């Protein structure tokens, strides 16, 4: 029998406080000595980078996912996330500290379990916690004494203690006595070369002080800095606040974009000048709408929660309304530009550059480009697209393949619409080769527009 199992048996013979102390001390020792095995559930944009960071730190990690194709590809050293190179996967595999599996019974082998599953919205814009609930039920089936469970999925304050904890306690084990529960919000910024998983400070909140201390010990093993907070609800609120801050400020500049156009003022020039102020101003950029896995939905999570407390989040709702209307604004502006050329949207050949929600990633979740493409398709436009990160698009009833970016394609299109400003594209050549360019990202800033018709939105 291992030392750990002997300690657990010894603890089970003691009173409640003794059990907790021995389990905590044993787990703390394993975490601090890097002997702990970590399980990561959900090998997507959050979970896979976590696995890599943990393995690179010298600890063992088991990645778990219900998608068998991910498991097969990882075993082959392949990456299914565009901004994570395959050599990262191969190097992690070579360390023998990482393995991926769909066998959730292996959760019994791990000391800490990190839950990184989606938290989308329903069709009625209400929180969909089905992935958190089903994952919690799976964990409960294999939960053993002495384990630390950390939820990383973005959600409304109260989810960890009010939703996940009761599910885990159906195992017969008691939170704070037999197992430890914490929340630490993911802070991934896919495709950002300046901040890797291990470099981004980690906010950590525990369901009790013991859980918080253990979660801090876990993350200190592979994260540069941890920020302990008083509770799981506070940690959940931190993540919601970060993304509401961005959503509200993006809504502000999106509305200013519309206002200043009516006044003949360039919003981009205004922002460039305003950001020279060394204090009291932070630049946010307008665009065709919000996208990604966090900013469009996180404000809705808090708004929904506050409805149960009989409070209306008016400021947040207004920001959501403004940002949600941006794809329609883009299409209406395009319609006006085509009308000036005596061309209707119906039947026009429109070439979209970029379908991902942000530059240099292949993530199309909630991408405004999808909304714009759908609106244009419904209006009868002939649309095609180029995106080096999204070779195939199957979203919202659209089924298309990225086409090669050629002069022939650009000249044959009635309008080229820049929806994602990926690096490495020759914007000067694109502008010179297009009949008309509608730039929603200011990607063409700095080019020579002589002889080109470029409209920056």
């Amino acid at each position: 029998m291992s030392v750990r199992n002997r300690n657990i048996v010894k603890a089970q013979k003691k009173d409640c406080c003794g059990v907790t102390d021995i389990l905590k001390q044993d787990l703390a020792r394993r975490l601090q000595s890097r002997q702990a095995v970590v399980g990561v559930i959900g090998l997507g944009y959050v979970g896979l980078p976590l696995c890599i960071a943990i393995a690179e730190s010298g600890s063992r990690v088991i990645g778990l996912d219900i998608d068998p194709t991910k498991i097969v590809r990882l075993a082959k050293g392949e990456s299914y996330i565009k901004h994570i190179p395959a050599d990262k996967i191969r190097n992690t595999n070579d360390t023998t500290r990482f393995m991926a599996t769909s066998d959730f019974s292996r959760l019994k082998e791990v000391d800490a379990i990190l839950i990184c599953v989606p938290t989308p919205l329903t069709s009625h814009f209400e929180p969909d916690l089905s992935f958190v609930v089903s994952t919690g039920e799976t964990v409960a089936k294999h939960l053993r004494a002495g384990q630390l469970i950390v939820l990383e999925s973005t959600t409304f304050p109260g989810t960890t203690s009010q939703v996940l904890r009761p599910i885990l306690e159906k195992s017969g084990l008691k939170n704070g006595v037999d197992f430890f529960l914490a929340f630490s919000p993911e802070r991934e910024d896919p495709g950002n070369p300046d901040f890797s998983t291990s470099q981004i400070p980690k906010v950590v909140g525990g369901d009790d002080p013991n859980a918080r201390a253990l979660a801090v010990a876990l993350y200190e093993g592979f994260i540069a800095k941890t920020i302990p907070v008083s509770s799981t609800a506070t940690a959940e609120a931190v993540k919601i606040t970060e993304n509401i801050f961005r959503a509200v400020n993006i809504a502000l500049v999106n509305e200013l974009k519309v206002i200043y156009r009516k006044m003949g003022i360039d919003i981009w020039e205004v922002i460039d000048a305003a950001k020279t102020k060394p204090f009291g101003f932070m630049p946010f950029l307008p665009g065709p709408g919000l996208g990604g896995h966090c900013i469009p939905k996180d404000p809705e999570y808090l708004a929904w929660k506050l409805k149960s407390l009989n409070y209306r989040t008016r400021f947040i709702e207004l920001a959501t309304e403004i940002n949600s209307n941006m794809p329609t604004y883009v299409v209406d502006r395009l319609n006006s530009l085509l009308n000036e050329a005596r061309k209707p949207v119906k039947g026009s050949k429109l070439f979209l550059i970029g379908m991902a929600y942000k530059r240099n990633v292949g993530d199309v979740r909630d991408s405004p480009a999808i909304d714009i493409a759908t609106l244009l398709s419904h209006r009868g436009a002939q649309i095609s697209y180029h995106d080096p990160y999204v070779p195939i698009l199957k979203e919202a009833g659209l089924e298309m393949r990225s086409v090669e970016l050629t002069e022939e394609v650009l000249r044959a299109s009635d309008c080229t619409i820049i929806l994602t400003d990926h690096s490495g594209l020759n914007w000067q050549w694109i502008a010179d080769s297009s009949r008309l360019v509608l730039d929603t990202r200011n990607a063409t800033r700095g080019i020579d527009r002589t002889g080109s018709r470029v409209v920056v939105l």
Side-chain angles (χ1 to χ4, degrees):
M1 184 181 292
S2 67
V3 173
R4 177 178 58 178
N5 288 340
R6 283 200 298 271
N7 284 339
I8 291 173
V9 171
K10 190 188 302 180
Q12 289 170 340
K13 294 178 180 178
K14 289 181 171 284
D15 58 51
C16 206
C17 294
V19 170
T20 305
D21 288 344
I22 290 177
L23 292 177
K24 177 194 171 185
Q25 292 166 10
D26 184 58
L27 181 53
R29 178 186 58 79
R30 293 179 62 78
L31 291 169
Q32 291 163 0
S33 65
R34 305 284 177 85
Q35 293 178 324
V37 181
V38 182
V40 177
I41 301 177
L43 301 179
Y45 288 89
V46 175
L48 185 56
L50 267 177
C51 287
I52 294 171
I54 294 167
E56 288 178 344
S57 74
S59 295
R60 281 186 56 211
V61 56
I62 298 176
L64 301 104
D65 201 287
I66 59 174
D67 184 353
T69 60
K70 289 182 180 178
I71 307 306
V72 171
R73 294 193 66 178
L74 290 172
K76 292 179 179 179
E78 298 175 357
S79 176
Y80 43 82
I81 298 177
K82 191 75 173 181
H83 65 274
I84 299 178
D87 61 358
K88 269 274 188 186
I89 307 298
R90 288 192 291 269
N91 292 341
T92 304
N93 286 345
D94 289 344
T95 66
T96 70
R97 290 190 291 269
F98 169 66
M99 73 158 299
T101 179
S102 291
D103 180 5
F104 283 78
S105 67
R106 299 204 60 179
L107 287 172
K108 292 180 179 179
E109 302 174 27
V110 306
D111 300 286
I113 300 170
L114 308 184
I115 300 174
C116 310
V117 296
T119 46
L121 292 171
T122 68
S123 58
H124 299 291
F125 297 97
E126 295 180 344
D128 179 1
L129 295 180
S130 59
F131 294 100
V132 172
V133 170
S134 61
T135 301
E137 291 170 346
T138 299
V139 171
K141 292 177 184 177
H142 306 288
L143 192 62
R144 62 165 175 78
Q147 287 181 314
L148 168 69
I149 294 87
V150 185
L151 179 63
E152 289 217 356
S153 306
T154 305
T155 185
F156 57 80
T159 301
T160 304
S161 61
Q162 297 168 17
V163 177
L164 184 58
R165 183 171 69 192
I167 294 172
L168 297 176
E169 288 188 328
K170 287 181 181 179
S171 65
L173 299 177
K174 188 174 180 180
N175 175 55
V177 177
D178 304 305
F179 68 88
F180 307 94
L181 183 61
F183 181 85
S184 180
E186 59 88 5
R187 280 176 157 178
E188 283 296 313
D189 188 11
N192 188 335
D194 298 325
F195 296 100
S196 65
T197 299
S198 59
Q199 295 171 317
I200 302 171
K202 209 82 168 71
V203 173
V204 180
D207 221 30
D208 57 40
N210 285 337
R212 180 179 60 194
L214 290 168
V216 167
L218 165 67
Y219 286 112
E220 283 182 341
F222 62 95
I223 299 292
K225 183 179 181 181
T226 58
I227 298 91
V229 294
S230 60
S231 65
T232 56
T234 299
E236 290 161 337
V238 168
K239 176 64 174 181
I240 290 283
T241 301
E242 291 171 355
N243 286 334
I244 289 175
F245 174 76
R246 293 174 67 190
V248 166
N249 281 282
I250 291 170
L252 174 62
V253 292
N254 274 333
E255 183 159 52
L256 288 175
K257 170 177 66 178
V258 177
I259 291 170
Y260 288 152
R261 189 179 81 79
K262 292 180 179 293
M263 302 173 69
I265 299 171
D266 182 353
I267 179 66
W268 298 95
E269 183 182 4
V270 170
I271 293 171
D272 282 344
K275 71 183 182 184
T276 62
K277 184 180 180 181
F279 55 89
F281 182 83
M282 179 181 293
F284 287 83
L285 303 180
L290 289 183
H293 62 294
C294 286
I295 302 179
K297 68 176 180 60
D298 290 358
E300 297 292 335
Y301 265 64
L302 187 62
W304 177 87
K305 180 66 175 177
L306 266 294
K307 286 177 184 176
S308 67
L309 300 176
N310 197 30
Y311 186 86
R312 183 181 172 191
T313 53
R314 291 169 293 172
F315 199 42
I316 294 172
E317 290 173 15
L318 180 58
T320 300
E321 179 185 341
I322 292 170
N323 289 325
S324 298
N325 285 336
M326 281 300 108
T328 300
Y329 176 74
V330 172
V331 171
D332 289 345
R333 187 76 180 98
L334 172 65
N335 184 63
S336 297
L337 292 172
L338 291 174
N339 281 343
E340 291 173 11
R342 298 186 178 182
K343 288 280 296 184
V345 171
K346 185 175 183 179
S348 291
K349 292 182 178 179
L350 305 176
F351 187 58
L352 315 182
I353 294 183
M355 297 304 293
Y357 83 92
K358 62 177 287 189
R359 70 172 65 169
N360 302 339
V361 300
D363 192 349
V364 297
R365 288 176 295 176
D366 293 309
S367 173
I370 305 297
D371 294 332
I372 291 166
T374 302
L375 288 169
L376 292 172
S377 180
H378 288 167
R379 294 192 185 193
Q382 299 177 39
I383 58 173
S384 57
Y385 82 94
H386 171 79
D387 192 317
Y389 292 86
V390 186
I392 299 174
L393 180 69
K394 292 184 179 180
E395 295 284 334
L398 299 171
E399 289 194 22
M400 298 187 290
R401 287 180 176 272
S402 176
V403 301
E404 186 179 354
L405 187 58
T406 65
E407 185 175 350
E408 180 183 8
V409 168
L410 291 169
R411 293 201 182 282
S413 302
D414 294 300
C415 184
T416 299
I417 309 168
I418 301 172
L419 298 174
T420 314
D421 53 339
H422 291 307
S423 302
L425 296 180
N426 187 335
W427 302 114
Q428 182 71 64
W429 172 77
I430 289 170
D432 291 342
S433 303
S434 301
R435 297 187 201 175
L436 170 66
V437 175
L438 180 59
D439 181 2
T440 70
R441 297 286 189 176
N442 202 23
T444 56
R445 68 188 305 168
I447 72 167
D448 181 2
R449 295 175 183 169
T450 305
S452 302
R453 191 180 178 204
V454 177
V455 176
V456 180
L457 193 60

